[in-house]
């Protein structure tokens, strides 16, 4: 029984890991392609796997001054920066739209219902107070009249 439960949980975790990898893999592939473009524009040869020190030495040899490096880096990352800016704006618009729709569909009706319920409870409470007030006043006036009446000894 416990073994089956553990086995089921392990399979569940493995399936979740597989789904996560399937969702993440295309994004990693895009990021890898963009990094290769940037490194190529900076002067590195990334056609075959190389060590980081080789890539850095290639970039240094193609960009001997800091100014040349910054200019090439700016040019190399321009398209990527514009894509990221565009994607961020579109994601923001998408999330805002989803939030507005969720608010209109789920949150607003619940808030309206809670507001109406609170108003009706407040009205009912005020009506009860108004009903009790005359009884209390008539009870107090009778008490006052009884206290003010001359006492016979």
């Amino acid at each position: 029984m416990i073994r089956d439960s553990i086995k089921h949980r392990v399979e569940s975790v493995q399936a979740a890991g597989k789904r996560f990898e399937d969702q993440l893999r295309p994004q990693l592939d895009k990021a890898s392609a963009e990094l290769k473009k940037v490194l190529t524009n900076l002067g590195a040869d990334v056609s075959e796997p190389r060590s980081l020190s080789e890539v850095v030495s290639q970039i240094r040899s193609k960009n001997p001054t800091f100014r040349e490096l910054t200019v090439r880096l700016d040019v190399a990352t321009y398209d990527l920066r514009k894509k990221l800016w565009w994607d961020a704006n579109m994601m923001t618009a998408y999330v805002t739209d989803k939030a507005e729709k969720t608010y209109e569909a789920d949150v607003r009706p619940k808030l309206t219902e809670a507001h109406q319920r609170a108003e009706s409870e407040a009205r009912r409470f005020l009506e009860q107070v108004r009903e009790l007030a005359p009884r209390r006043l008539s009870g107090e006036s009778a008490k006052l009249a009884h206290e003010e009446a001359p006492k016979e000894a």
Side-chain angles (χ1 to χ4, degrees):
M1 185 69 164
I2 294 175
R3 185 178 294 165
D4 292 337
S5 174
I6 291 172
K7 182 180 177 184
H8 177 70
R9 288 184 185 189
V10 168
E11 289 172 354
S12 169
V13 168
Q14 288 173 340
K18 177 73 172 134
R19 283 192 312 271
F20 181 71
E21 183 181 342
D22 290 344
Q23 291 175 351
L24 191 60
R25 179 58 51 201
Q27 301 302 321
L28 289 175
D29 291 342
K30 284 181 184 178
S32 176
E34 289 297 328
L35 179 61
K36 285 180 182 180
K37 284 182 194 176
V38 169
L39 291 174
T40 302
N41 288 340
L42 288 174
D45 180 20
V46 290
S47 59
E48 54 188 64
R50 299 190 186 278
S51 71
L52 182 60
S53 61
E54 290 176 5
V55 172
V56 169
S57 66
Q58 287 178 350
I59 292 173
R60 281 184 179 168
S61 67
K62 296 284 184 173
N63 306 291
T65 66
F66 183 71
R67 179 177 169 81
E68 288 179 27
L69 176 66
T70 56
V71 169
R72 280 202 183 194
L73 185 61
D74 183 50
V75 170
T77 60
Y78 181 79
D79 290 340
L80 179 60
R81 285 181 282 137
K82 293 301 178 186
K83 281 183 195 175
L84 291 174
W85 181 82
W86 174 260
D87 289 346
N89 281 338
M90 291 301 106
M91 186 58 70
T92 301
Y94 175 76
V95 168
T96 302
D97 183 56
K98 291 294 268 186
E100 288 174 357
K101 287 179 180 176
T102 301
Y103 174 77
E104 290 296 327
D106 297 334
V107 177
R108 190 174 191 182
K110 290 178 182 177
L111 288 175
T112 303
E113 178 187 337
H115 183 261
Q116 290 172 348
R117 194 171 354 127
E119 279 184 346
S120 67
E121 289 293 321
R123 281 191 206 110
R124 190 171 57 82
F125 177 72
L126 287 174
E127 288 174 7
Q128 288 176 351
V129 168
R130 287 183 186 135
E131 289 175 5
L132 291 176
R135 290 183 198 161
R136 185 172 175 216
L137 288 177
S138 62
E140 284 181 3
S141 60
K143 185 178 174 185
L144 285 175
H146 176 56
E147 289 176 358
E148 289 180 0
K151 294 184 181 181
E152 295 179 19

